[in-house]
Amino acid sequence: MAGKTLNVISICGSLRKGSYNRMIMNLLQGYAPAGLQIAEAPPFAEFPLYNADVQNSTGFPAPVQKLADAVRAADGVIFVSPEYNFSIPGGLKNALDWVSRLPNQPFAGKPIALISAAAGILGGGRMQYDLRRCMIFLDALTMNKPEVFIGAASQKFDEKTGQLKDEQAVGFIKQQLAAFAKFIEQHGGKN
Ligand SMILES: Cc1cc2nc3c(=O)[nH]c(=O)nc-3n(C[C@H](O)[C@H](O)[C@H](O)COP(=O)(O)O)c2cc1C
């Protein structure tokens, strides 16, 4: 697998335009090592609330299929998300709930990396551990280290340019992306 371009998708847990997590997501390609291509996943903003009756009557909504197909086709998935009330933002959790009900469940065996930015000093750590727990149930392969938590997010970005001003945080993300490329080469391609 060495030398092959790895195609990874990123999923942002925040829907707001000025999102710090979206800013990070937009910066990822610039921090990635050669050979790691990162594209934004199809959106989940229009997913209805998960309801098994909808699934059983009209089937899976087209945007759910689209995201699931993108996850299946990707060599890995990077979640970049804030923490809401010490856990996974509802919209993102709803998206995972929909995708998880598809046959040939897309996250099974999929390499996953987690990044979070949040207002609190723990930088979304509690969200990450809840997301890890979901990924265990879905049989994904979530990379353990390096972890990236960006706390006090409002002080770390240039709101006008979208640049991450904290050099230490930039360094952590670069290290994580380099590790993720190796992780995919070692553990990916199993689904
Ligand atoms: C519903 C809600 C719940 C939140 N809960 C937390 C929390 O548990 N921990 C935390 O650090 N920040 C929390 N915050 C603040 C977010 O970290 C902050 O708004 C952050 O900028 C959101 O990420 P974004 O900029 O990517 O949209 C919460 C914000 C909202 C809107």
Side-chain angles (χ1 to χ4, degrees), residues 45-128:
E46 304 303 325
F47 285 21
L49 285 180
Y50 178 78
N51 181 338
D53 294 339
V54 174
Q55 179 192 325
N56 294 332
S57 57
T58 52
F60 288 89
V64 173
Q65 296 275 10
K66 207 170 166 189
L67 177 58
D69 288 346
V71 171
R72 281 199 194 97
D75 292 313
V77 177
I78 304 173
F79 287 98
V80 191
S81 178
E83 173 177 286
Y84 281 180
N85 298 310
F86 286 10
S87 191
I88 303 166
L92 176 59
K93 181 61 165 56
N94 185 58
L96 294 176
D97 292 342
W98 267 114
V99 169
S100 72
R101 303 315 291 172
L102 278 158
N104 179 24
Q105 191 268 105
F107 285 102
K110 191 66 61 182
I112 305 289
L114 307 178
I115 298 174
S116 56
I121 54 166
L122 295 185
R126 288 163 290 220
M127 180 286 301
Q128 286 201 23

Side-chain angles (χ1 to χ4, degrees), residues 163-180:
Q163 291 305 304
L164 179 53
K165 296 185 291 182
D166 185 317
E167 283 309 316
Q168 203 179 24
V170 171
F172 285 139
I173 296 172
K174 285 182 178 170
Q175 281 173 35
Q176 192 200 47
L177 293 176
F180 193 45

Side-chain angles (χ1 to χ4, degrees), residues 31-49:
Y31 299 152
L36 187 69
Q37 287 294 322
I38 305 170
E40 183 177 345
F44 61 79
E46 304 303 325
F47 285 21
L49 285 180

Side-chain angles (χ1 to χ4, degrees), residues 9-15 19-26 28 38 44 77-83 89 92 113-117 127-128 131 148 150 157 173 176-177:
I9 58 169
S10 56
I11 299 178
C12 181
S14 173
L15 298 176
S19 159
Y20 299 122
N21 287 279
R22 172 157 286 280
M23 287 180 199
I24 294 171
M25 199 173 82
N26 293 341
L28 288 181
I38 305 170
F44 61 79
V77 177
I78 304 173
F79 287 98
V80 191
S81 178
E83 173 177 286
L92 176 59
L114 307 178
I115 298 174
S116 56
M127 180 286 301
Q128 286 201 23
L131 189 46
V148 180
I150 300 171
F157 292 85
I173 296 172
Q176 192 200 47
L177 293 176

